[in-house]
Amino acid sequence: MSKFWSPIVGDLQPYIPGEQPKGERVIKLNTNESPYGPSAKILDAIRAETGEDLRLYPDPTASALRTAIGESHGLDASHVFAGNGSDEVLAHAFRAFFSGKQPILFADITYSFYKTYCRLFEIEHQLVPLDEGFRYRLEDYARPCGGIVVANPNAPTGIAQPLAAIERILQQNPDVVVLVDEAYVDFGADSAASLIPLYDNLLVVQTFSKSRALAGMRVGFALGQPHLIEGLVRVKDSFNSYPLGRLALASALAAWQDREGFEETIAKVKSDRAQLVGDLTMLGFDVLPSATNFVFASHGDMPAATILAALRERGILVRHFNHPRIVNWLRISIGTRTECQALVTSLKEILRGAPN
Protein backbone atom coordinates (compact mmCIF):
# COMPACT_ATOMS: atom_id res chain seq x y z
CA MET A 1 0.00 0.00 0.00
CA SER A 2 1.23 3.47 -0.85
CA LYS A 3 -0.17 6.85 0.03
CA PHE A 4 0.26 7.79 -3.62
CA TRP A 5 -2.05 5.07 -4.94
CA SER A 6 -5.49 6.00 -6.15
CA PRO A 7 -8.34 4.31 -4.24
CA ILE A 8 -9.03 1.92 -7.10
CA VAL A 9 -5.44 0.63 -7.13
CA GLY A 10 -5.60 -0.26 -3.46
CA ASP A 11 -8.77 -2.29 -4.02
CA LEU A 12 -7.53 -4.20 -7.06
CA GLN A 13 -6.92 -7.94 -6.96
CA PRO A 14 -4.72 -8.41 -10.04
CA TYR A 15 -4.92 -11.45 -12.26
CA ILE A 16 -2.22 -13.99 -11.39
CA PRO A 17 -0.69 -15.62 -14.48
CA GLY A 18 0.73 -19.12 -14.51
CA GLU A 19 4.26 -19.59 -13.22
CA GLN A 20 7.02 -18.69 -15.68
CA PRO A 21 10.22 -20.16 -14.25
CA LYS A 22 13.47 -18.38 -15.03
CA GLY A 23 16.58 -20.46 -15.65
CA GLU A 24 14.98 -23.60 -14.25
CA ARG A 25 14.49 -26.56 -16.59
CA VAL A 26 10.95 -27.79 -16.15
CA ILE A 27 8.16 -29.30 -18.21
CA LYS A 28 5.66 -26.44 -18.55
CA LEU A 29 2.12 -27.74 -18.71
CA ASN A 30 0.63 -24.82 -16.82
CA THR A 31 0.03 -21.92 -19.22
CA ASN A 32 -1.50 -23.53 -22.35
CA GLU A 33 1.28 -22.41 -24.64
CA SER A 34 1.74 -24.29 -27.88
CA PRO A 35 4.09 -27.26 -27.47
CA TYR A 36 5.35 -26.62 -31.00
CA GLY A 37 7.19 -23.52 -32.12
CA PRO A 38 6.36 -21.21 -35.02
CA SER A 39 6.91 -22.60 -38.51
CA ALA A 40 9.86 -21.69 -40.69
CA LYS A 41 7.58 -19.38 -42.70
CA ILE A 42 6.76 -17.38 -39.58
CA LEU A 43 10.38 -17.16 -38.46
CA ASP A 44 11.42 -16.01 -41.93
CA ALA A 45 8.80 -13.27 -41.82
CA ILE A 46 10.15 -12.07 -38.48
CA ARG A 47 13.75 -12.04 -39.72
CA ALA A 48 12.70 -10.03 -42.77
CA GLU A 49 11.48 -7.26 -40.45
CA THR A 50 14.67 -7.03 -38.37
CA GLY A 51 16.22 -4.26 -40.42
CA GLU A 52 16.48 -0.50 -40.57
CA ASP A 53 12.71 -0.04 -40.66
CA LEU A 54 12.51 -0.88 -36.97
CA ARG A 55 13.26 2.79 -36.39
CA LEU A 56 9.83 3.57 -37.86
CA TYR A 57 6.49 3.19 -36.12
CA PRO A 58 4.41 0.19 -37.16
CA ASP A 59 1.08 0.45 -38.94
CA PRO A 60 -1.30 1.70 -36.23
CA THR A 61 -4.27 0.13 -38.03
CA ALA A 62 -2.71 -3.33 -38.66
CA SER A 63 -4.42 -3.11 -42.05
CA ALA A 64 -2.74 -6.07 -43.78
CA LEU A 65 -3.42 -8.40 -40.85
CA ARG A 66 -7.01 -7.22 -40.43
CA THR A 67 -7.68 -7.64 -44.14
CA ALA A 68 -6.31 -11.19 -44.15
CA ILE A 69 -8.32 -12.20 -41.08
CA GLY A 70 -11.48 -10.63 -42.43
CA GLU A 71 -11.20 -12.31 -45.82
CA SER A 72 -10.94 -15.72 -44.14
CA HIS A 73 -14.34 -15.10 -42.55
CA GLY A 74 -16.02 -13.50 -45.56
CA LEU A 75 -15.71 -10.06 -43.96
CA ASP A 76 -13.71 -6.94 -44.71
CA ALA A 77 -11.17 -5.13 -42.54
CA SER A 78 -13.86 -2.90 -41.00
CA HIS A 79 -15.11 -5.99 -39.15
CA VAL A 80 -11.70 -6.73 -37.55
CA PHE A 81 -9.79 -5.17 -34.66
CA ALA A 82 -6.20 -6.12 -33.75
CA GLY A 83 -4.53 -5.59 -30.39
CA ASN A 84 -1.68 -6.52 -28.08
CA GLY A 85 -2.84 -10.01 -27.17
CA SER A 86 -6.46 -11.01 -26.60
CA ASP A 87 -6.19 -9.81 -22.99
CA GLU A 88 -5.78 -6.23 -24.19
CA VAL A 89 -8.57 -6.69 -26.73
CA LEU A 90 -10.83 -7.97 -23.95
CA ALA A 91 -9.87 -5.04 -21.73
CA HIS A 92 -10.77 -2.57 -24.47
CA ALA A 93 -14.08 -4.36 -25.00
CA PHE A 94 -14.94 -4.18 -21.30
CA ARG A 95 -14.19 -0.45 -21.34
CA ALA A 96 -16.06 0.18 -24.59
CA PHE A 97 -19.24 -1.82 -24.02
CA PHE A 98 -19.76 -2.71 -20.37
CA SER A 99 -20.02 0.55 -18.48
CA GLY A 100 -23.82 0.61 -18.26
CA LYS A 101 -26.00 0.78 -15.19
CA GLN A 102 -26.80 -2.94 -15.08
CA PRO A 103 -24.30 -5.68 -14.17
CA ILE A 104 -22.73 -7.85 -16.82
CA LEU A 105 -23.01 -11.62 -16.61
CA PHE A 106 -20.39 -14.34 -16.85
CA ALA A 107 -19.92 -17.82 -15.43
CA ASP A 108 -18.71 -18.48 -11.89
CA ILE A 109 -16.07 -20.86 -13.29
CA THR A 110 -14.37 -19.18 -16.23
CA TYR A 111 -11.37 -17.02 -17.15
CA SER A 112 -10.57 -15.15 -13.94
CA PHE A 113 -9.35 -12.03 -15.76
CA TYR A 114 -13.00 -11.02 -16.32
CA LYS A 115 -13.35 -10.19 -12.62
CA THR A 116 -10.13 -8.19 -12.74
CA TYR A 117 -11.39 -6.07 -15.64
CA CYS A 118 -14.61 -5.40 -13.74
CA ARG A 119 -12.68 -4.17 -10.69
CA LEU A 120 -10.31 -2.06 -12.78
CA PHE A 121 -13.06 -0.38 -14.79
CA GLU A 122 -15.58 -0.35 -11.93
CA ILE A 123 -18.09 -2.49 -13.82
CA GLU A 124 -20.81 -4.26 -11.86
CA HIS A 125 -21.02 -7.97 -12.55
CA GLN A 126 -22.93 -11.08 -11.52
CA LEU A 127 -21.55 -14.60 -11.55
CA VAL A 128 -23.83 -17.17 -13.16
CA PRO A 129 -23.22 -20.68 -11.74
CA LEU A 130 -22.39 -23.45 -14.16
CA ASP A 131 -24.36 -26.64 -13.56
CA GLU A 132 -22.96 -29.65 -11.72
CA GLY A 133 -21.26 -30.84 -14.91
CA PHE A 134 -19.63 -27.40 -15.39
CA ARG A 135 -21.89 -26.54 -18.32
CA TYR A 136 -23.81 -23.36 -19.09
CA ARG A 137 -27.51 -23.17 -18.25
CA LEU A 138 -28.72 -20.97 -21.07
CA GLU A 139 -31.94 -19.98 -19.33
CA ASP A 140 -29.86 -18.26 -16.63
CA TYR A 141 -28.74 -15.69 -19.20
CA ALA A 142 -32.26 -14.68 -20.23
CA ARG A 143 -32.55 -11.69 -17.91
CA PRO A 144 -31.88 -7.96 -17.91
CA CYS A 145 -28.15 -7.20 -17.82
CA GLY A 146 -25.49 -4.83 -19.06
CA GLY A 147 -23.72 -7.40 -21.25
CA ILE A 148 -22.63 -11.04 -21.36
CA VAL A 149 -19.22 -12.67 -21.61
CA VAL A 150 -18.96 -16.31 -22.69
CA ALA A 151 -15.65 -18.15 -22.97
CA ASN A 152 -16.12 -20.81 -25.63
CA PRO A 153 -14.54 -23.26 -25.13
CA ASN A 154 -14.60 -22.37 -21.47
CA ALA A 155 -11.48 -22.13 -19.35
CA PRO A 156 -10.40 -23.79 -17.18
CA THR A 157 -12.97 -26.55 -17.83
CA GLY A 158 -12.24 -26.99 -21.56
CA ILE A 159 -15.91 -27.62 -22.34
CA ALA A 160 -17.30 -26.15 -25.56
CA GLN A 161 -20.80 -24.87 -26.23
CA PRO A 162 -22.45 -25.65 -29.59
CA LEU A 163 -23.01 -22.73 -31.90
CA ALA A 164 -26.77 -23.01 -31.35
CA ALA A 165 -26.23 -22.23 -27.66
CA ILE A 166 -24.30 -19.06 -28.47
CA GLU A 167 -27.01 -18.01 -30.88
CA ARG A 168 -29.68 -18.55 -28.25
CA ILE A 169 -27.85 -16.24 -25.85
CA LEU A 170 -27.62 -13.62 -28.60
CA GLN A 171 -31.33 -13.90 -29.32
CA GLN A 172 -32.19 -13.61 -25.63
CA ASN A 173 -30.12 -10.42 -25.25
CA PRO A 174 -30.45 -8.28 -28.39
CA ASP A 175 -29.87 -4.96 -26.64
CA VAL A 176 -26.47 -5.65 -25.04
CA VAL A 177 -23.11 -6.83 -26.34
CA VAL A 178 -22.47 -10.55 -26.11
CA LEU A 179 -18.70 -11.10 -26.07
CA VAL A 180 -17.56 -14.59 -27.03
CA ASP A 181 -13.98 -15.25 -25.95
CA GLU A 182 -12.62 -17.90 -28.33
CA ALA A 183 -9.02 -18.23 -27.19
CA TYR A 184 -9.17 -22.02 -27.65
CA VAL A 185 -11.74 -22.36 -30.42
CA ASP A 186 -9.35 -23.86 -32.97
CA PHE A 187 -8.87 -27.03 -30.92
CA GLY A 188 -12.40 -28.36 -31.30
CA ALA A 189 -15.23 -25.80 -31.17
CA ASP A 190 -17.25 -23.90 -33.75
CA SER A 191 -16.49 -20.20 -33.98
CA ALA A 192 -19.33 -17.71 -33.60
CA ALA A 193 -17.70 -15.59 -36.32
CA SER A 194 -20.18 -17.00 -38.82
CA LEU A 195 -22.98 -15.29 -36.87
CA ILE A 196 -21.53 -11.77 -37.13
CA PRO A 197 -23.57 -10.74 -40.21
CA LEU A 198 -26.74 -11.75 -38.35
CA TYR A 199 -26.21 -10.11 -34.96
CA ASP A 200 -25.13 -6.51 -34.42
CA ASN A 201 -24.43 -7.20 -30.71
CA LEU A 202 -21.88 -10.01 -31.20
CA LEU A 203 -18.15 -9.53 -30.57
CA VAL A 204 -15.82 -12.49 -31.07
CA VAL A 205 -12.30 -12.36 -29.59
CA GLN A 206 -9.46 -14.69 -30.56
CA THR A 207 -5.70 -14.94 -30.02
CA PHE A 208 -2.52 -15.98 -31.80
CA SER A 209 -1.04 -17.26 -28.51
CA LYS A 210 -2.41 -20.81 -28.52
CA SER A 211 -3.11 -22.48 -31.85
CA ARG A 212 -0.69 -20.27 -33.77
CA ALA A 213 2.24 -20.58 -31.35
CA LEU A 214 2.83 -16.85 -30.88
CA ALA A 215 2.31 -16.31 -27.15
CA GLY A 216 5.62 -14.46 -27.07
CA MET A 217 4.48 -11.96 -29.71
CA ARG A 218 1.21 -10.88 -28.02
CA VAL A 219 -1.33 -10.62 -30.84
CA GLY A 220 -5.10 -10.84 -30.47
CA PHE A 221 -8.07 -9.71 -32.51
CA ALA A 222 -11.81 -9.17 -32.41
CA LEU A 223 -14.49 -9.70 -35.02
CA GLY A 224 -17.78 -7.83 -35.07
CA GLN A 225 -19.90 -5.43 -37.05
CA PRO A 226 -18.15 -2.13 -37.88
CA HIS A 227 -19.91 -0.08 -35.20
CA LEU A 228 -18.45 -2.36 -32.49
CA ILE A 229 -14.99 -2.31 -34.07
CA GLU A 230 -15.12 1.48 -34.17
CA GLY A 231 -15.81 1.50 -30.43
CA LEU A 232 -12.71 -0.61 -29.82
CA VAL A 233 -10.60 1.65 -32.03
CA ARG A 234 -11.74 4.72 -30.13
CA VAL A 235 -10.65 3.13 -26.85
CA LYS A 236 -7.38 1.90 -28.34
CA ASP A 237 -6.46 5.27 -29.77
CA SER A 238 -7.16 6.87 -26.39
CA PHE A 239 -4.74 4.42 -24.78
CA ASN A 240 -2.04 3.34 -27.25
CA SER A 241 -2.19 4.02 -30.97
CA TYR A 242 0.61 1.52 -31.74
CA PRO A 243 -0.20 -1.65 -29.76
CA LEU A 244 1.44 -4.05 -32.23
CA GLY A 245 5.10 -3.74 -33.22
CA ARG A 246 6.52 -4.56 -36.62
CA LEU A 247 7.71 -8.02 -35.60
CA ALA A 248 4.36 -8.90 -34.08
CA LEU A 249 2.47 -7.78 -37.18
CA ALA A 250 4.79 -9.67 -39.51
CA SER A 251 4.66 -12.87 -37.48
CA ALA A 252 0.88 -12.76 -37.12
CA LEU A 253 0.29 -12.22 -40.82
CA ALA A 254 2.63 -15.08 -41.71
CA ALA A 255 0.99 -17.33 -39.13
CA TRP A 256 -2.46 -16.58 -40.48
CA GLN A 257 -1.36 -17.33 -44.02
CA ASP A 258 0.47 -20.55 -43.06
CA ARG A 259 -2.61 -22.77 -43.11
CA GLU A 260 -0.62 -25.97 -43.58
CA GLY A 261 1.52 -25.39 -40.50
CA PHE A 262 -1.52 -24.37 -38.47
CA GLU A 263 -3.47 -27.53 -39.35
CA GLU A 264 -0.45 -29.73 -38.64
CA THR A 265 -0.10 -28.26 -35.14
CA ILE A 266 -3.81 -28.64 -34.40
CA ALA A 267 -3.75 -32.28 -35.52
CA LYS A 268 -0.78 -33.05 -33.24
CA VAL A 269 -2.39 -31.40 -30.23
CA LYS A 270 -5.68 -33.22 -30.76
CA SER A 271 -3.91 -36.56 -31.09
CA ASP A 272 -1.80 -35.99 -27.99
CA ARG A 273 -4.88 -34.76 -26.10
CA ALA A 274 -6.73 -37.99 -26.87
CA GLN A 275 -3.75 -40.04 -25.71
CA LEU A 276 -3.41 -38.05 -22.48
CA VAL A 277 -7.12 -38.30 -21.69
CA GLY A 278 -6.89 -42.07 -22.09
CA ASP A 279 -3.81 -42.31 -19.89
CA LEU A 280 -5.30 -40.11 -17.16
CA THR A 281 -8.53 -42.09 -17.20
CA MET A 282 -6.56 -45.33 -16.77
CA LEU A 283 -4.94 -43.75 -13.69
CA GLY A 284 -8.34 -43.09 -12.14
CA PHE A 285 -8.76 -39.42 -13.04
CA ASP A 286 -12.07 -37.88 -13.97
CA VAL A 287 -11.41 -35.81 -17.10
CA LEU A 288 -13.90 -33.34 -18.50
CA PRO A 289 -14.52 -33.38 -22.27
CA SER A 290 -12.01 -30.94 -23.74
CA ALA A 291 -12.16 -28.87 -26.93
CA THR A 292 -8.96 -27.04 -26.01
CA ASN A 293 -5.20 -27.57 -25.77
CA PHE A 294 -5.55 -28.59 -22.11
CA VAL A 295 -7.52 -31.02 -19.98
CA PHE A 296 -9.25 -30.50 -16.64
CA ALA A 297 -8.82 -33.49 -14.37
CA SER A 298 -9.56 -34.59 -10.82
CA HIS A 299 -8.56 -37.69 -8.85
CA GLY A 300 -10.85 -39.02 -6.15
CA ASP A 301 -8.07 -40.56 -4.05
CA MET A 302 -5.64 -37.65 -3.82
CA PRO A 303 -6.18 -33.89 -3.44
CA ALA A 304 -5.24 -31.78 -6.43
CA ALA A 305 -2.96 -29.59 -4.30
CA THR A 306 -1.00 -32.66 -3.25
CA ILE A 307 -0.58 -33.80 -6.84
CA LEU A 308 0.39 -30.26 -7.88
CA ALA A 309 3.16 -30.09 -5.28
CA ALA A 310 4.45 -33.57 -6.07
CA LEU A 311 4.64 -32.79 -9.77
CA ARG A 312 6.42 -29.52 -9.00
CA GLU A 313 9.07 -31.46 -7.07
CA ARG A 314 9.59 -33.55 -10.19
CA GLY A 315 9.99 -30.49 -12.41
CA ILE A 316 6.51 -30.59 -13.97
CA LEU A 317 4.23 -27.56 -13.77
CA VAL A 318 0.44 -27.76 -14.03
CA ARG A 319 -2.22 -25.24 -12.94
CA HIS A 320 -4.41 -25.29 -9.84
CA PHE A 321 -7.14 -22.77 -9.01
CA ASN A 322 -8.10 -22.03 -5.43
CA HIS A 323 -11.84 -21.84 -6.05
CA PRO A 324 -14.19 -23.90 -3.84
CA ARG A 325 -15.97 -25.61 -6.74
CA ILE A 326 -12.77 -26.68 -8.51
CA VAL A 327 -10.30 -26.96 -5.64
CA ASN A 328 -9.74 -30.64 -6.45
CA TRP A 329 -9.16 -30.13 -10.17
CA LEU A 330 -5.98 -29.54 -12.16
CA ARG A 331 -5.65 -27.88 -15.54
CA ILE A 332 -3.00 -29.66 -17.58
CA SER A 333 -1.73 -28.21 -20.87
CA ILE A 334 -1.13 -30.57 -23.76
CA GLY A 335 2.61 -30.78 -24.25
CA THR A 336 4.63 -32.79 -26.73
CA ARG A 337 4.16 -36.55 -26.70
CA THR A 338 7.39 -36.88 -24.72
CA GLU A 339 6.27 -34.29 -22.14
CA CYS A 340 2.89 -35.95 -21.73
CA GLN A 341 4.57 -39.33 -21.24
CA ALA A 342 6.82 -37.84 -18.56
CA LEU A 343 3.73 -36.44 -16.83
CA VAL A 344 1.96 -39.81 -16.86
CA THR A 345 5.05 -41.58 -15.54
CA SER A 346 5.31 -39.10 -12.67
CA LEU A 347 1.61 -39.39 -11.89
CA LYS A 348 1.93 -43.16 -11.64
CA GLU A 349 4.71 -42.72 -9.10
CA ILE A 350 2.82 -40.10 -7.12
CA LEU A 351 -0.40 -42.08 -6.95
CA ARG A 352 1.35 -45.19 -5.65
CA GLY A 353 3.29 -43.14 -3.12
CA ALA A 354 6.74 -43.55 -4.61
CA PRO A 355 9.41 -41.09 -3.37
CA ASN A 356 10.72 -38.45 -5.73
Side-chain angles (χ1 to χ4, degrees), residues 84 88 91-92 121 233-243:
N84 186 246
E88 181 183 88
H92 289 341
F121 300 131
V233 172
R234 289 174 68 86
V235 172
K236 188 252 310 178
D237 286 343
S238 300
F239 175 73
N240 179 9
S241 295
Y242 300 95

Side-chain angles (χ1 to χ4, degrees), residues 5-71:
W5 288 0
S6 68
I8 192 173
V9 171
D11 291 336
L12 285 177
Q13 297 179 30
Y15 172 78
I16 301 174
E19 181 183 356
Q20 295 283 1
K22 297 179 180 179
E24 182 182 5
R25 299 192 66 177
V26 297
I27 294 176
K28 283 186 82 280
L29 304 178
N30 65 326
T31 51
N32 301 339
E33 295 146 321
S34 173
Y36 306 104
S39 70
K41 293 179 181 179
I42 299 170
L43 296 177
D44 286 344
I46 294 171
R47 293 187 188 99
E49 283 294 320
T50 57
E52 183 181 340
D53 281 352
L54 287 178
R55 67 185 176 83
L56 302 173
Y57 283 112
D59 176 8
T61 68
S63 57
L65 178 61
R66 290 169 48 239
T67 297
I69 293 172
E71 288 176 350

Side-chain angles (χ1 to χ4, degrees), residues 8-239:
I8 192 173
V9 171
D11 291 336
L12 285 177
Q13 297 179 30
Y15 172 78
I16 301 174
E19 181 183 356
Q20 295 283 1
K22 297 179 180 179
E24 182 182 5
R25 299 192 66 177
V26 297
I27 294 176
K28 283 186 82 280
L29 304 178
N30 65 326
T31 51
N32 301 339
E33 295 146 321
S34 173
Y36 306 104
S39 70
K41 293 179 181 179
I42 299 170
L43 296 177
D44 286 344
I46 294 171
R47 293 187 188 99
E49 283 294 320
T50 57
E52 183 181 340
D53 281 352
L54 287 178
R55 67 185 176 83
L56 302 173
Y57 283 112
D59 176 8
T61 68
S63 57
L65 178 61
R66 290 169 48 239
T67 297
I69 293 172
E71 288 176 350
S72 298
H73 293 284
L75 305 169
D76 61 34
S78 68
H79 292 79
V80 186
F81 175 85
N84 186 246
S86 62
D87 284 339
E88 181 183 88
V89 177
L90 289 168
H92 289 341
F94 271 63
R95 171 57 83 186
F97 309 122
F98 297 149
S99 296
K101 295 181 180 179
Q102 297 195 76
I104 68 170
L105 308 178
F106 48 86
D108 63 333
I109 306 297
T110 192
Y111 188 28
S112 56
F113 223 141
Y114 303 153
K115 287 184 181 179
T116 301
Y117 297 137
C118 286
R119 294 188 187 102
L120 178 61
F121 300 131
E122 299 182 298
I123 299 169
E124 294 294 326
H125 69 280
Q126 291 180 358
L127 302 181
V128 182
L130 299 174
D131 68 16
E132 293 303 312
F134 299 114
R135 296 181 181 275
Y136 284 87
R137 288 185 286 235
L138 301 184
E139 61 272 17
D140 291 347
Y141 292 86
R143 54 169 145 153
C145 64
I148 293 174
V149 183
V150 177
N152 193 44
N154 198 14
T157 67
I159 297 175
Q161 294 293 313
L163 198 57
I166 301 299
E167 188 162 20
R168 182 176 167 189
I169 293 175
L170 285 162
Q171 292 169 345
Q172 292 172 165
N173 300 274
D175 297 323
V176 298
V177 169
V178 176
L179 191 163
V180 184
D181 183 355
E182 295 185 343
Y184 302 97
V185 70
D186 294 323
F187 297 103
D190 293 323
S191 175
S194 62
L195 301 176
I196 287 172
L198 305 177
Y199 296 95
D200 65 357
N201 62 327
L202 170 62
L203 189 74
V204 175
V205 176
Q206 294 188 16
T207 180
F208 280 76
S209 295
K210 316 298 183 184
S211 59
R212 288 182 166 81
L214 287 177
M217 280 295 183
R218 313 307 302 129
V219 183
F221 64 94
L223 300 164
Q225 290 196 15
H227 65 99
L228 295 183
I229 301 305
E230 182 182 353
L232 293 175
V233 172
R234 289 174 68 86
V235 172
K236 188 252 310 178
D237 286 343
S238 300
F239 175 73

